[in-house]
Amino acid sequence: MEYFQFDSLKFIYDILIPCLLACVFGGIIGLQRERADRPAGLRTHTLVCVGATVFTIVSYLGFSSQAGFDPSRIAAGVVTGIGFIGAGVIFRQGNLIKGVTTAASIWIAASIGLALGTKLYYLALITTVLGFLTLSIVKYIEDKFIRTPNYLVSITTCENFSSFKEVRDFIGNISTNVKYKKYQIDDEKSKIILTVNVHSKDPEFSTKILQNLSKFKEIEKITIN
């Protein structure tokens, strides 16, 4: 009759350390997503990383002794399963597809878990650092140097329109690199046209402009190109 024997060293090195590191490394990736207000944040990435770690540990500790069993099959199943979770955070908003980066970060969290489960700690650490830097620093580079959609907004008002400051403040809140030009229509001196050249990544930019500026009765026409 076989008796269960608890090996404290085996528990610490084979189970406890990988799972704790999975909480830390997955949490680092998830924290960045949480701060960016994405649909999958700290808890999701931590759980994905820990789950992938546990599945990997089970594959080689629980089944490696069985003849003819390939431990890599569970790892392959984890990769496939993560695809379904990632697909759940991808959605369409206007003309843009959002959530793809978050889905990729979940995939990265799972790969970190697989590395931790097989005790490839240095690989897991490097992947965590690179993943975090990609999500944070590369995002800054994208916002700073990559061109955003350009809009030309033309607003026709009466000559005594007094709410130009409100219009400018609103447009400035949902766009960047705003340039204004105001002039009178030659054949109608009582009309003024305000043209605004802006850059905005907001997929609902046109809708927000029309909805919010239509409340000014003095505005007669709004065109967006």
Side-chain angles (χ1 to χ4, degrees):
M1 181 177 180
E2 294 185 2
Y3 293 93
F4 173 78
Q5 293 183 347
F6 179 75
D7 188 336
S8 59
L9 289 178
K10 189 176 182 64
F11 168 76
I12 292 174
Y13 289 107
D14 290 348
I15 298 176
L16 183 59
I17 290 178
C19 288
L20 290 178
L21 289 176
C23 288
V24 175
F25 291 172
I28 290 174
I29 300 296
L31 180 62
Q32 197 285 331
R33 294 285 84 192
E34 191 80 40
R35 293 179 63 184
D37 196 24
R38 293 300 182 260
L42 179 61
R43 291 180 297 172
T44 301
H45 286 78
T46 301
L47 290 174
V48 166
C49 193
V50 173
T53 301
V54 171
F55 277 121
T56 307
I57 293 174
V58 169
S59 69
Y60 78 84
L61 289 183
F63 299 103
S64 60
S65 60
Q66 297 184 12
F69 179 79
D70 181 11
S72 65
R73 291 171 57 188
I74 290 184
V78 170
V79 174
T80 303
I82 290 302
F84 289 97
I85 298 178
V89 300
I90 300 175
F91 60 96
R92 184 184 184 92
Q93 183 177 3
N95 294 325
L96 300 179
I97 302 297
K98 306 193 71 175
V100 178
T101 302
T102 301
S105 68
I106 292 176
W107 192 53
I108 284 292
S111 72
I112 294 171
L114 291 173
L116 290 171
T118 53
K119 299 182 181 179
L120 297 175
Y121 297 137
Y122 289 113
L123 175 61
L125 177 60
I126 291 173
T127 304
T128 302
V129 172
L130 292 177
F132 182 82
L133 292 177
T134 299
L135 291 170
S136 54
I137 296 179
V138 175
K139 171 63 176 175
Y140 171 79
I141 295 174
E142 285 182 341
D143 293 340
K144 189 71 175 177
F145 299 105
I146 296 180
R147 185 183 179 90
T148 55
N150 182 65
Y151 297 89
L152 180 62
V153 182
S154 180
I155 304 171
T156 304
T157 72
C158 60
E159 188 177 22
N160 59 352
F161 183 63
S162 60
S163 300
F164 281 115
K165 185 179 184 303
E166 294 181 44
V167 173
R168 291 185 179 187
D169 290 343
F170 171 74
I171 295 177
N173 289 334
I174 61 173
S175 57
T176 58
N177 194 23
V178 184
K179 296 180 180 179
Y180 297 94
K181 184 178 180 181
K182 183 169 65 173
Y183 57 91
Q184 286 185 322
I185 302 177
D186 292 337
D187 55 348
E188 294 186 56
K189 297 297 183 180
S190 60
K191 305 294 182 183
I192 292 179
I193 292 182
L194 174 68
T195 60
V196 190
N197 195 318
V198 301
H199 293 91
S200 176
K201 287 186 176 181
D202 190 338
E204 304 296 332
F205 175 82
S206 298
T207 302
K208 290 179 179 179
I209 287 292
L210 294 174
Q211 288 178 346
N212 285 272
L213 298 189
S214 296
K215 67 181 181 181
F216 297 102
K217 295 181 179 180
E218 298 90 343
I219 293 180
E220 300 179 3
K221 183 180 179 182
I222 302 173
T223 59
I224 304 175
N225 297 315

